[in-house]
Amino acid sequence: MKESLSRNVANEPGAEAGLSWRRLVPTQISDLISQFAAAGALIIICIALSIASPVFLTLYNLFNIVSQTAVTAIIALGMTFVIITAGIDLSVGSVAALAGVLGVKMMVDLGLSWPLAVLGGTLVGGLAGLANGLLITRARLAPFIATLGMMSVARGLVNIITGATAVFGVPDSFRLLGQGMIDGVPIPLITLIVLAVAAHLLLSRTRLGRYTYAIGSNEEAARLAGIRVSAYLVAVYVLQGLLAGFGGMVAMSRVASGQPNFGDGLELDVIAAAVIGGCSLFGGQGTILGTLIGAFLMAVIRNGAVLLNIDTFTQSVIIGVIIWLAVIWDQFRRRRFAESTR
Amino acid sequence: MPSTSMETEQSPIIRLRKITRRFPGVTAVAEVDLDIYPGEVHVVAGENGAGKSTLMRILYQVERPDAGQIYLNGEPLSFHGPHYARALGVAMVHQEFALAPHLSVAENLFLGREPLRFGFIRRRRELAEARRLLEQVGLDLDPRRLVASLSVAEQQLVEIARAISFNARVLILDEPTATLTEQEIARLFEVIRQLTAQGVAVLYISHRLDEIFQIADRVTVMRDGRVVATLPLAELSEQKLVQLMVGRAITNLYPRPETHPGPVLLRVEGLSRRGLLHDCSFEVHAGEILGLAGLIGAGRSELARAVCGADPIDSGRILLDGHELHIRRPADAIRAGLAYVTEDRKREGLALDLGVDQNITLASLPARLGLLLLRRERSVALHACQRLNIRTPSVRRKVRLLSGGNQQKVVVARWLETQARVIFFDEPARGIDVGAKAEMFALIGRLASEGRAIVLISSYLPELLNMCDRIAVMREGRIVGTLSRGQFSEERIIALATGASEVTIP
């Protein structure tokens, strides 16, 4: 019936009458600017750094930036989904450590091959995400509380399991994941690109992605539209857990050992990447591309600070100011939109 | 009880002259003159949308009038907002209370003006003052209790205590009994009488006939933003009051759709939800428009939500085409072909930050193997915009940026895409301008004539009288009567909805 109806209307002359595309332009430009405010900042800083430091624009340095930020960026892909639902996941750093260490132990203690161990570690992260999702939807905990608890639980577990000492003895081949190259391109970069494209498609082209936005924009409307909100929320936190677990494995591969203290404070970098990239903590807004830009903006600033001999404390101040500016910009844009409805 | 002759003896404490307030598309209050005398209970009566609340909000200076002048004790007032009104002795208790639930009664009473000494709150003084105020409104409770632990009626009395603690000379009560039990209402009335005995003027908004005759000294009836009459209660009968409230000959503001009701499509039997719905049964035929009338809080939205899976039910059966449906969540209802166009489109209907297209397809995403068919989505949205005349520069525009009428059409479009056969419209004309209203009702008529069953909830009787084939009237969670077209009269519906004895119009 819908089909025939659509066709009927399509056959009518002037099916697009009343839709003037000209009036769209201001909105589109405003959207573009907001989307790429961070991108603009990134480009300007890159240009400035390549002038200020001869080292910056070398392939070696650029790959170095990518390798260092790949883990943050991979986990931030999941955070984009979480924040779009108006949620938050504070446990990603601890979960990455737990998953990474358990993955390493699968190789060291069980003798698993490294690809299987990576899969295992990723699934451990997924389990933690499942627990988060169930705590939020079944026990009705606020995401902040549920994941705050998980942050503590996962960190405690990894220290219990390892006795708070690093796990050594991984096979050499495991280094490939975090340190390897294919035709001179770092494998973490390739991995990140593949995952980012997949995440982008998931977010923009699938039901899961669409419902992620709908739930974050208006959970009750989504429920009344027949969307099983709880199921999709669980899926989003599982996805975040899987990415945190995988990110943990990449991180362990980079140091070729299991580090129980890895990822302390990583959640803040991950959230910052998403927020700088345009995700709204109130939900309903955010893109994968934006989050990637946010992650790289922070990485480039840190890298530039090292090249220009700016100390880490000053770097920290700069990153904080950038977070403020990104969110102030976002709110300014929102206010303008709200007014234009009148 | 103060006599009506005081009009000649006393001068009014409040005089409103030619007060006018316009909203886009509607004049909510039109050239209203009103005199309020000290010590009287002055009821402002009228149907929903008659302009009562807006008028009170103007008096309390929440709403700025577009024209007109307010006089207090003969002095013209300037407009500075509710703080100013309160300082002058005008206080208002809103329908929704403005108490902080996590603070104690005493803390709430003195919020923002705590008795201080050297910057510290004088707690003992605060408590003593609070006890005195509570006594004044006949409320016997410990002022240290948290507001959250009080009943609705107690909270309301606390609100009144707070209002009179500002030495209010004029107290505005906006439908204060909506959520109270009989005993609580009796107690409230006692407090009101005590206050008027002390010379306080009480402005009491209501459309419940029984209450009006219990409490009023004088009654002002409003209709379509205008004052129809101000009369002492002695000169009013129930019958006359209803006539004044209804007033107009039923005009044809709404196109009467051509409906041809067919067989029963939806049948609901004995639907109950504890405390909200009691044994509700009704049926809707294919191609029929069934109206649901009743006061606010009578359970109309709750009934629609329960049938459509938005709220759980305790008992009852829902049958579509004679087959029982097992609806546990909205998705079940949608799959069966039911749709609920919510009353509050911004809170429950729309994802405001998503595009027109994404909102239209939210309940019927075109997808294959989980992948969205974006081109199909776009064409579906374009055709829906065309069909329902949704005016937007682009189907990708955020719904937040559309007008109320167009937003409402987006919600309707979503449910048409689910192939719904039974559609519940909950106050579909609320908050949209007159032109969009006419369009919305024309659309509803068209949907019925296409063979869908329509359930139309409205608080504005002319809408129901013109649109519906039958009207079911609800009161306190029950369906108290169903009228067929030949039996339609506003008086009969109001009588059923308020529980007043039926008024016969000659």
Side-chain angles (χ1 to χ4, degrees):
Chain A
M1 182 183 169
K2 180 165 61 181
E3 286 275 316
S4 66
L5 184 99
S6 304
R7 248 179 257 124
N8 286 343
V9 180
N11 291 339
E12 281 173 28
E16 292 225 15
L19 300 174
S20 146
W21 293 95
R22 248 170 299 158
R23 275 199 285 156
L24 167 70
V25 171
T27 326
Q28 222 170 28
I29 288 175
S30 156
D31 253 6
L32 277 175
I33 292 171
S34 80
Q35 182 104 53
F36 295 108
L42 181 60
I43 291 166
I44 290 166
I45 290 171
C46 283
I47 291 171
L49 282 175
S50 49
I51 293 167
S53 161
V55 186
F56 179 77
L57 217 53
T58 59
L59 208 55
Y60 173 81
N61 185 54
L62 291 182
F63 280 167
N64 188 27
I65 294 173
V66 170
S67 299
Q68 279 174 353
T69 202
V71 173
T72 308
I74 286 170
I75 300 176
L77 299 176
M79 193 62 79
T80 309
F81 284 77
V82 169
I83 291 181
I84 290 172
T85 67
I88 194 87
D89 189 344
L90 300 177
S91 69
V92 288
S94 303
V95 168
L98 178 65
V101 164
L102 284 177
V104 164
K105 282 182 90 69
M106 287 175 205
M107 286 179 272
V108 176
D109 296 350
L110 304 179
L112 252 56
S113 70
W114 74 264
L116 275 180
V118 169
L119 182 65
T122 305
L123 290 178
V124 168
L127 276 179
L130 179 65
N132 280 333
L134 293 177
L135 284 167
I136 289 162
T137 55
R138 301 277 154 188
R140 303 207 166 273
L141 294 182
F144 188 97
I145 303 298
T147 59
L148 183 69
M150 180 58 73
M151 175 167 113
S152 188
V153 167
R155 183 65 67 190
L157 284 178
V158 72
N159 281 318
I160 292 169
I161 291 166
T162 59
T165 55
V167 180
F168 294 101
V170 295
D172 255 7
S173 53
F174 176 53
R175 292 169 185 266
L176 202 62
L177 182 66
Q179 303 175 31
M181 301 260 194
I182 294 177
D183 289 339
V185 182
I187 286 179
L189 174 60
I190 297 168
T191 316
L192 174 61
I193 290 171
V194 170
L195 288 176
V197 169
H200 172 75
L201 292 177
L202 194 60
L203 192 55
S204 60
R205 296 293 171 88
T206 68
R207 282 214 164 116
L208 172 67
R210 176 64 56 79
Y211 292 166
T212 300
Y213 283 107
I215 291 168
S217 182
N218 190 338
E219 189 172 325
E220 179 67 3
R223 192 177 77 88
L224 291 178
I227 296 169
R228 296 185 56 180
V229 171
S230 297
Y232 281 96
L233 277 179
V234 169
V236 164
Y237 282 90
V238 168
L239 176 68
Q240 170 71 93
L242 290 170
L243 285 166
F246 182 75
M249 292 307 295
V250 174
M252 300 308 161
S253 167
R254 282 170 53 76
V255 292
S257 57
Q259 299 290 342
N261 58 355
F262 167 77
D264 196 15
L266 179 65
E267 62 280 351
L268 298 182
D269 267 10
V270 169
I271 293 166
V275 168
I276 291 172
C279 288
S280 162
L281 290 180
F282 298 108
Q285 302 216 321
T287 57
I288 292 294
L289 184 59
T291 297
L292 286 180
I293 291 168
F296 278 102
L297 185 60
M298 287 196 299
V300 165
I301 287 169
R302 290 206 172 115
N303 177 261
V306 171
L307 295 181
L308 301 178
N309 281 324
I310 298 170
D311 64 284
T312 54
F313 306 129
T314 311
Q315 289 174 34
S316 182
V317 171
I318 294 171
I319 301 267
V321 169
I322 284 179
I323 292 174
W324 285 340
L325 291 178
V327 177
I328 288 170
W329 167 259
D330 199 49
Q331 286 176 345
F332 166 73
R333 185 175 58 92
R334 237 173 254 274
R335 250 199 311 279
R336 267 196 37 205
F337 266 16
E339 274 163 17
S340 67
T341 55
R342 287 249 145 186
Chain B
M1 194 177 283
S3 78
T4 51
S5 64
M6 69 192 171
E7 269 179 69
T8 50
E9 293 162 5
Q10 282 177 302
S11 54
I13 180 164
I14 294 275
R15 290 170 62 187
L16 303 182
R17 285 295 174 268
K18 299 246 174 286
I19 298 288
T20 300
R21 176 75 171 119
R22 293 180 205 92
F23 293 113
V26 58
T27 302
V29 174
E31 303 198 336
V32 164
D33 291 348
L34 193 61
D35 291 345
I36 311 295
Y37 291 88
E40 72 166 337
V41 177
H42 195 120
V43 168
V44 181
E47 292 186 273
N48 292 326
K52 302 168 298 198
S53 289
T54 306
L55 185 64
M56 294 306 111
R57 288 161 62 81
I58 289 171
L59 182 53
Y60 191 51
Q61 303 208 350
V62 180
E63 209 81 68
R64 185 189 285 272
D66 293 316
Q69 182 63 53
I70 303 175
Y71 300 88
L72 179 74
N73 290 323
E75 299 285 316
L77 286 188
S78 48
F79 184 93
H80 295 292
H83 267 92
Y84 183 65
R86 210 158 58 180
L88 295 175
V90 178
M92 180 160 177
V93 177
H94 297 265
Q95 268 175 305
E96 310 89 35
F97 308 135
L99 298 172
H102 299 105
L103 298 187
S104 75
V105 170
E107 285 162 346
N108 265 289
L109 285 173
F110 294 99
L111 200 58
R113 54 194 175 113
E114 294 79 3
L116 295 180
R117 189 193 288 152
F118 312 125
F120 291 96
I121 294 173
R122 304 174 63 178
R123 298 201 42 152
R124 217 171 305 155
R125 166 92 177 272
E126 192 179 68
L127 282 176
E129 284 286 306
R131 284 205 185 86
R132 194 180 58 74
L133 282 170
L134 292 179
E135 202 177 309
Q136 232 176 322
V137 296
L139 198 53
D140 178 29
L141 60 78
D142 186 341
R144 285 171 296 194
R145 271 177 62 187
L146 295 190
V147 161
S149 72
L150 306 185
S151 73
V152 176
E154 287 169 334
Q155 290 188 27
Q156 186 163 45
L157 288 172
V158 170
E159 276 274 13
I160 292 173
R162 180 156 82 171
I164 60 175
S165 73
F166 289 97
N167 292 320
R169 308 308 299 156
V170 180
L171 178 62
I172 305 167
L173 301 173
D174 191 354
E175 304 209 8
T177 56
T179 49
L180 302 189
T181 65
E182 287 299 318
Q183 294 100 315
E184 288 166 343
I185 291 174
R187 182 152 128 195
L188 175 69
F189 284 180
E190 230 169 85
V191 172
I192 289 175
R193 290 204 185 88
Q194 280 165 21
L195 290 174
T196 51
Q198 294 160 21
V200 175
V202 174
L203 265 162
Y204 190 103
I205 302 180
S206 180
H207 54 199
R208 291 196 181 179
L209 299 181
D210 49 338
E211 270 176 39
I212 295 173
F213 282 93
Q214 274 184 59
I215 194 72
D217 296 317
R218 291 196 306 153
V219 180
T220 290
V221 181
M222 288 186 74
R223 192 200 316 144
D224 298 335
R226 294 179 183 278
V227 168
V228 185
T230 297
L231 293 167
L233 189 73
E235 292 175 26
L236 274 175
S237 64
E238 238 180 42
Q239 184 176 328
K240 187 165 181 189
L241 183 54
V242 169
Q243 269 180 316
L244 283 170
M245 281 166 70
V246 173
R248 75 194 97 56
I250 297 161
T251 50
N252 223 1
L253 282 169
Y254 312 93
R256 164 79 189 136
E258 284 258 334
T259 56
H260 305 283
V264 171
L265 191 52
L266 176 76
R267 182 196 297 279
V268 172
E269 294 175 356
L271 202 71
S272 292
R273 182 164 187 232
R274 217 170 60 185
L276 293 170
L277 297 171
H278 309 285
D279 195 22
C280 293
S281 301
F282 66 93
E283 52 187 42
V284 206
H285 298 249
E288 182 192 41
I289 303 177
L290 172 72
L292 270 186
L295 301 177
I296 289 167
R300 297 167 299 165
S301 299
E302 287 77 3
L303 181 57
R305 290 178 61 93
V307 173
C308 294
D311 294 331
I313 60 175
D314 295 324
S315 61
R317 302 205 309 156
I318 299 164
L319 297 98
L320 189 71
D321 268 339
H323 301 291
E324 184 164 2
L325 303 177
H326 297 279
I327 295 173
R328 269 169 307 169
R329 54 173 71 93
D332 300 334
I334 293 165
R335 214 173 299 119
L338 308 183
Y340 174 45
V341 179
T342 51
E343 175 180 9
D344 187 339
R345 59 183 169 267
K346 286 192 176 159
R347 214 167 54 78
E348 304 168 329
L350 292 166
L352 290 170
D353 287 327
L354 299 193
V356 170
D357 49 355
Q358 302 185 340
N359 271 285
I360 288 174
T361 57
L362 195 61
S364 61
L365 264 186
R368 191 178 298 140
L369 304 171
L371 284 178
L372 302 182
L373 304 172
L374 293 180
R375 219 167 304 151
R376 170 90 160 276
E377 172 174 55
R378 191 181 143 70
S379 74
V380 164
L382 276 170
H383 295 140
C385 288
Q386 160 78 9
R387 178 164 184 240
L388 303 188
N389 197 18
I390 297 171
R391 280 174 292 266
T392 170
S394 151
V395 291
R396 301 190 55 188
R397 193 174 183 82
K398 286 184 181 184
V399 170
R400 184 187 296 283
L401 305 179
L402 300 190
S403 72
N406 283 306
Q407 287 183 345
Q408 186 71 307
K409 284 191 261 181
V410 168
V411 180
V412 175
R414 174 192 305 161
W415 295 113
L416 296 186
E417 291 306 325
T418 67
Q419 327 275 307
R421 300 169 66 199
V422 183
I423 307 182
F424 288 75
F425 284 93
D426 197 347
E427 303 282 1
R430 176 160 294 173
I432 64 182
D433 63 39
V434 178
K437 256 182 214 180
E439 252 184 286
M440 183 57 62
F441 285 115
L443 170 64
I444 291 172
R446 211 163 75 218
L447 295 177
S449 62
E450 288 170 11
R452 292 183 174 85
I454 306 287
V455 179
L456 176 61
I457 299 175
S458 172
S459 294
Y460 194 53
L461 286 181
E463 287 175 9
L464 293 180
L465 294 173
N466 280 281
M467 293 294 298
C468 298
D469 297 294
R470 289 181 303 132
I471 297 177
V473 185
M474 291 190 73
R475 183 175 77 234
E476 291 166 5
R478 287 170 217 282
I479 295 179
V480 291
T482 304
L483 308 175
S484 57
R485 214 166 156 77
Q487 304 168 302
F488 280 5
S489 83
E490 294 202 25
E491 294 77 12
R492 209 171 263 151
I493 293 170
I494 289 178
L496 280 168
T498 56
S501 54
E502 187 164 335
V503 187
T504 47
I505 303 290

